[in-house]
Amino acid sequence: MNSTDTNNHAPTGTAETVPPDQTASVDGPGPVDLAFPPYLTVIEPGTLERLRGSLAAEASREGLVDVAYRIVDSPVGRLLVAATDRGIVRIAYEREGLDAVLQSLSDKLSPRILEAPARLGSAAREIEEYFSGKRMRFDLPLDLRLSAGFRRTVLAHLGDIPFGRTESYTEVARAVGNPKAVRAVGTACATNPLPVVVPCHRVLRSDGSLGGYIGGLEAKATLLALEAAAA
Amino acid sequence: MDTKQPFEKLVELHGAAVLRVCRAVVGPLDADDVWQETFISALRAYTELPADANIEAWLVTIAHRRSLDSVRAAARRAVPIESVPDRESPLGIPDPPGDGVWNHVARLPDKQRRVIAYRYLADLPFTEIAAIVGGTPAAARRSAADGIKKLRILTSEDLPEGDSHEQH
């Protein structure tokens, strides 16, 4: 309830309205807004997009953007691709919640995050080439700081599984020298901050079933089918 | 929570309000530049901002300072003349085509125009506004009331024949 208008009597059945009290109106927006020309309150479509674009460009030039990101369309849905000055730091599927992903980057890396597509031109191009079957290896600088310890060791190995091939969680555990750590390999894949580019989708269960995937099993199946067709 | 929103989120949430304030304070031609300078300054200072700060008040404070810079720069660019013509905008803000009402807003004293913009376009309380423009919250409230009154008079002077209060 926000009934601060002292002139607001109960309806009496007449159509007459009481002229607004000019001093009371200072307490809230209301009729005063009518005094402003329309272009002060109505912002034309496209204006903010244009301003945000030039803000991102200028902020990048001045070195003020710690995390730049871009949304890339793909056959497995929209992907958020984020980079620091060291390289690609995060790729996220839409189902992870793009706002939640950005908030987590803000907490873990820096809140100086802007959508700056120009900073991610080559990443977007390579990802598009990959999905159109024209690229088998990514040639992008990666920033692996969101992953540490054993998980990072696992991610480093995943990059060695060739395009179009798969390994089982057990094989990966053996390959990284810790054959008993099958579950930990599963966790490392599930928390891979750079899906698609670091190919955790190439790791399956020993019986050949898909296991899990951060982008959903449908996305995992799509990537594997794409690689099988292009390899 | 001592976590901060991604800066992009601030632009998304407050970009429009800050642009309205910039337009009201420096006029439509310089508003884009002041908007960008505001967010560049904000981005530079963002990591030091306390997590529980009122973001919109903080952004309007920065916009206030950047707009003062812009007004000073405009004044430096201006050619000094003997006497200022009557009823000229204090900022020399050109009239956008087809919208004479801007003249009224521009004709208000600087402080009244700012107080009205911060109150009615950024929706800040008078305590925050007083912290931004100086003086007491009561003085800010009085400035807003005076400015609104003046705007009403200026607007009604321009109205065509008849009384706007009556609807037939």
Side-chain angles (χ1 to χ4, degrees):
Chain A
M1 291 289 140
N2 187 21
S3 171
T4 52
D5 186 357
T6 50
N7 285 326
N8 191 8
H9 303 297
T12 57
T14 76
E16 260 182 31
T17 52
V18 182
D21 174 14
Q22 302 208 347
T23 52
S25 64
V26 173
D27 289 328
V32 166
D33 286 342
L34 296 175
F36 290 108
Y39 68 87
L40 290 182
T41 48
V42 178
I43 293 172
E44 325 72 65
T47 297
L48 282 168
E49 287 72 9
R50 176 176 53 77
L51 287 173
R52 286 166 77 164
S54 65
L55 171 66
E58 177 63 18
S60 294
R61 260 196 301 280
E62 295 196 26
L64 297 173
V65 184
D66 296 332
V67 181
Y69 75 92
R70 168 175 185 150
I71 307 293
V72 177
D73 283 316
S74 85
V76 290
R78 297 197 306 157
L79 299 172
L80 181 146
V81 184
T84 65
D85 54 2
R86 292 188 221 168
I88 311 297
V89 74
R90 184 79 163 90
I91 294 178
Y93 281 94
E94 196 160 15
R95 75 202 288 267
E96 296 178 67
L98 299 187
D99 275 353
V101 170
L102 289 173
Q103 185 63 58
S104 139
L105 292 175
S106 175
D107 297 342
K108 289 178 186 162
L109 299 177
S110 162
R112 300 208 302 188
I113 298 177
L114 274 183
E115 183 168 7
R119 291 253 311 254
L120 289 137
S122 52
R125 194 174 54 250
E126 291 201 12
I127 289 170
E128 276 158 22
E129 288 167 358
Y130 169 81
F131 279 109
S132 58
K134 283 183 265 174
R135 173 171 289 276
M136 300 195 177
R137 263 198 106 76
F138 287 99
D139 183 23
L140 296 168
L142 301 182
D143 181 348
L144 288 171
R145 76 175 96 175
L146 291 175
S147 184
F150 182 69
R151 292 179 185 181
R152 192 150 167 177
T153 308
V154 172
L155 297 189
H157 170 72
L158 295 184
D160 297 335
I161 309 177
F163 182 94
R165 301 269 291 279
T166 62
E167 283 184 11
S168 70
Y169 294 100
T170 314
E171 285 170 322
V172 173
R174 223 170 11 236
V176 297
N178 201 341
K180 286 186 183 151
V182 179
R183 284 181 66 95
V185 167
T187 308
C189 290
T191 57
N192 173 14
L194 293 160
V196 181
V197 171
V198 172
C200 59
H201 58 275
R202 292 177 196 154
V203 186
L204 308 175
R205 285 199 186 130
S206 299
D207 64 5
S209 67
L210 286 175
Y213 189 55
I214 194 168
L217 291 184
E218 203 180 317
K220 190 170 187 172
T222 303
L223 297 185
L224 291 172
L226 178 150
E227 294 192 4
Chain B
M1 289 285 277
D2 64 341
T3 73
K4 267 183 208 159
Q5 292 178 303
F7 193 79
E8 181 72 30
K9 195 79 191 166
L10 269 57
V11 184
E12 181 189 325
L13 292 175
H14 305 291
V18 171
L19 182 60
R20 289 188 186 102
V21 165
C22 292
R23 285 176 174 184
V25 170
V26 299
L29 293 187
D30 291 328
D32 287 5
D33 286 346
V34 174
W35 185 93
Q36 173 152 320
E37 285 160 18
T38 296
F39 279 101
I40 289 284
S41 300
L43 182 57
R44 196 170 269 128
Y46 189 39
T47 43
E48 276 82 52
L49 182 74
D52 60 352
N54 176 340
I55 300 284
E56 184 138 316
W58 176 65
L59 288 172
V60 172
T61 306
I62 298 172
H64 176 75
R65 295 200 195 112
R66 295 289 78 84
S67 69
L68 289 175
D69 294 348
S70 158
V71 172
R72 281 189 207 111
R76 273 196 302 275
R77 285 195 303 268
V79 182
I81 50 167
E82 280 295 305
S83 64
V84 180
D86 203 15
R87 312 223 97 188
E88 183 70 69
S89 149
L91 302 180
I93 296 161
D95 194 17
D99 199 344
V101 194
W102 168 252
N103 272 344
H104 305 319
V105 183
R107 245 187 271 162
L108 293 178
D110 187 64
K111 182 164 180 189
Q112 287 178 13
R113 195 175 59 246
R114 289 173 183 273
V115 167
I116 289 173
Y118 304 158
R119 177 68 194 91
Y120 296 106
L121 296 176
D123 203 24
L124 296 184
F126 285 113
T127 46
E128 297 279 2
I129 295 170
I132 293 170
V133 301
T136 64
R141 180 186 294 268
R142 255 193 323 277
S143 271
D146 292 347
I148 293 292
K149 206 181 293 173
K150 193 162 177 187
L151 266 185
R152 286 224 170 90
I153 294 165
L154 291 169
T155 317
S156 62
E157 277 174 359
D158 266 14
L159 284 179
E161 313 265 297
D163 189 340
S164 65
H165 297 293
E166 299 291 332
Q167 294 196 343
H168 297 289

